[in-house]
Each structure stands twice: as structure tokens, then as C-alpha cells.
Amino acid sequence: MICIAIANQKGGVGKTTTAINLATGLAATGLRVLLVDLDPQGNASTGLGVNHADRSQSSYDLLVGNCALEDAVIATRVPKLDLVAATQDLSGAEIELIEYEQRTHRLERVLAEAPAGRWDICLIDCPPSLGLLTINAMVAAQSLLVPLQCEFFALEGLSQLLQTVDRIRGRFNPGLSIMGVALTMYDRRNRLTDQVADDVRACLGDLVFTTVIPRNVRLSEAPSHGVPALIYDFRCSGSEAYMRLARELIARLPRQEEAA
């Protein structure tokens, strides 16, 4: 199973929207996908239509050892897409995990329990911070996908994230790579958007996905209906962009035998 952490310490960059719709797009291509919601806000879980009452076992329970992976997995209404939901209990996990041995490797150990062949790919939706939850995700993952909003402060935040990746490589996970940077909330009417996109591509080159995710009302509306935008309105510009991004990501995936 290939594990990809979707992370950016800056909030409001379209990280959870990317996690939901990219997972759906990957599932639509036939891949068996597991989405782990590691954000205490639980927006990925809500966006996939999982009510709080149905989250009896969550990613928090996995991290603190209260349950096994199989017990926390929820089948979503999207075929081939399973979810480990998040609850507000995760808010206190940063402090609680300090007392645990190998606290940075808790998620890695849990995902190692996944039955062989059950899922092809695991996406981890991280909180908007570089705390212990995000570190657990980066330690468990082989690759990192960074949603980056097309705005003035984007490169400054990206620099901090890349420094964190270097530290994770040096201390915990030397094999961690950057799968790519996805430009989000692109508004072609705004000249600054084009300038930021050009600056990011000049800085990171081929690491930046060709596909850009536009600002799109349908992407914002879909979570309130408890479905991904790809189901809410498959033909909207946002959904079409996420399908293109899913195909780009698949082309960058390592072969299964390399990822094993």
C-alpha cells in the first residue's frame, strides 16, 4: 500500500477538499483507496457524509491504541473508498502522545497492520499545523502532496514545510519524498494568481503538477451535501480538475513492488 500525506501547515489552502476529491478520483479509476482523517476538525469525514454519531472508532483511537485498524475503517458511499474518521478527541492527542514510546511512529505501526492487498493507496489528511499529528503522517508516508494556494504568502509557508520535511528525513523517515505540489484556488481573473503560480513553478520545476485547481463554487457547496464534488457535480470545472490531478498522481506513483 502506497501512503501519501496531504499536508500544509497553512489553513484554508484546499487541503481537505483535495484529500476528499483526489481520493474519490483515484477510486473512480479503480484503485482501492483508504483515506485517514487526521485533522481534529474532521472535515474530510463530514465531507464524505459520515455523521459524528457513526464515528465510534476514529483515528484518535488508532493512535492511542484503543482499537485495531479494521475496527476503525468505515465504508463510504463512494465505491472502493474507505475512511478512518476523525473526532475532536484528536485535539488532545498532541499532548497525550508525548507519554507514549515511539510517539512519532504510532500511525506508521497502525497502517503496517493493513491486510495485504486490501487497499492500493492511503491518503492522510493532515491538520493545518506541523505538530505531532502531521509528523506521524509524514513518518508513515512514503510521499508528501502539498496543496498550495495561489496567493502572496504561499512560498513563505512552503519554505517552512520543506524545512520540516528535511528534518523528518534526517531523523525518522529517510525515504520520504515529495510527490508534488498542487496549485489550488486558482483564479485566472487575478494577475497575482498567475504571478504566484509562475514563481512556484520557477522555484520547484517539475515538482508542481501541471493541473491547477480553480476556485469553484461547486467545490465549496459539495461538503454541505456530504458528498465529494466529483459526485455532487461531476462536470463542474473543479471536479474535472481533480480528475486530471488524480491521473497525474497515478503517473507519478511508484510501482507496487517498489512501494512494498
Side-chain angles (χ1 to χ4, degrees):
M1 181 172 68
I2 300 168
C3 294
I4 302 173
I6 301 177
N8 191 325
Q9 79 277 12
K10 190 176 185 302
V13 300
K15 176 179 56 58
T16 296
T17 298
T18 296
I20 293 171
N21 289 290
L22 190 55
T24 303
L26 292 170
T29 69
L31 293 175
R32 295 159 298 180
V33 184
L34 174 65
L35 175 58
V36 178
D37 190 349
L38 212 61
D39 187 342
Q41 298 176 83
N43 290 337
S45 306
T46 302
L48 284 171
V50 178
N51 297 321
H52 289 277
D54 298 325
R55 306 178 196 179
S56 58
Q57 306 288 353
S58 68
S59 53
Y60 166 82
D61 295 294
L62 290 180
L63 290 175
V64 300
N66 287 345
C67 72
L69 177 61
E70 285 288 317
D71 297 328
V73 171
I74 300 171
T76 72
R77 64 186 71 183
V78 180
K80 295 184 180 295
L81 174 55
D82 292 332
L83 170 75
V84 174
T87 61
Q88 290 185 348
D89 292 334
L90 275 175
S91 300
E94 299 268 359
I95 297 175
E96 291 182 49
L97 288 176
I98 292 175
E99 301 179 358
Y100 285 76
E101 292 185 8
Q102 295 289 300
R103 58 183 176 272
T104 57
H105 291 69
R106 303 290 295 184
L107 184 60
E108 179 188 35
R109 290 183 175 182
V110 166
L111 294 180
E113 299 173 358
R118 173 75 183 273
W119 299 286
D120 300 305
I121 188 167
C122 172
L123 300 182
I124 307 169
D125 184 27
C126 300
S129 69
L130 295 177
L132 198 50
L133 293 176
T134 299
I135 290 174
N136 261 270
M138 289 186 183
V139 171
Q142 288 108 342
S143 300
L144 181 69
L145 189 151
V146 184
L148 192 69
Q149 185 180 2
C150 293
E151 65 159 27
F152 181 72
F153 293 112
L155 283 175
E156 181 178 331
L158 180 62
S159 175
Q160 183 181 356
L161 179 63
L162 295 179
Q163 290 173 11
T164 299
V165 171
D166 284 339
R167 289 195 291 270
I168 296 295
R169 283 174 178 156
R171 295 187 60 186
F172 306 117
N173 186 3
L176 180 64
S177 65
I178 299 177
M179 176 72 69
V181 174
L183 297 175
T184 63
M185 301 183 181
Y186 182 85
D187 186 350
R188 61 183 69 249
R189 300 169 299 178
N190 188 335
R191 291 185 179 180
L192 178 61
T193 294
D194 284 324
Q195 182 180 340
V196 171
D198 290 343
D199 288 346
V200 173
R201 293 189 189 280
C203 178
L204 298 176
D206 292 340
L207 273 181
V208 184
F209 288 102
T210 300
T211 301
V212 295
I213 308 300
R215 284 191 179 274
N216 181 247
V217 173
R218 293 304 213 188
L219 290 178
S220 302
E221 291 176 348
S224 65
H225 295 269
V227 293
L230 283 163
I231 292 177
Y232 181 63
D233 186 350
F234 181 77
R235 297 186 181 277
C236 73
S237 61
S239 294
E240 291 177 347
Y242 274 116
M243 277 306 304
R244 291 195 298 272
L245 182 61
R247 287 191 286 268
E248 267 198 84
L249 186 146
I250 289 171
R252 298 190 183 192
L253 290 176
R255 294 192 301 271
Q256 285 289 356
E257 58 268 21
E258 293 177 354

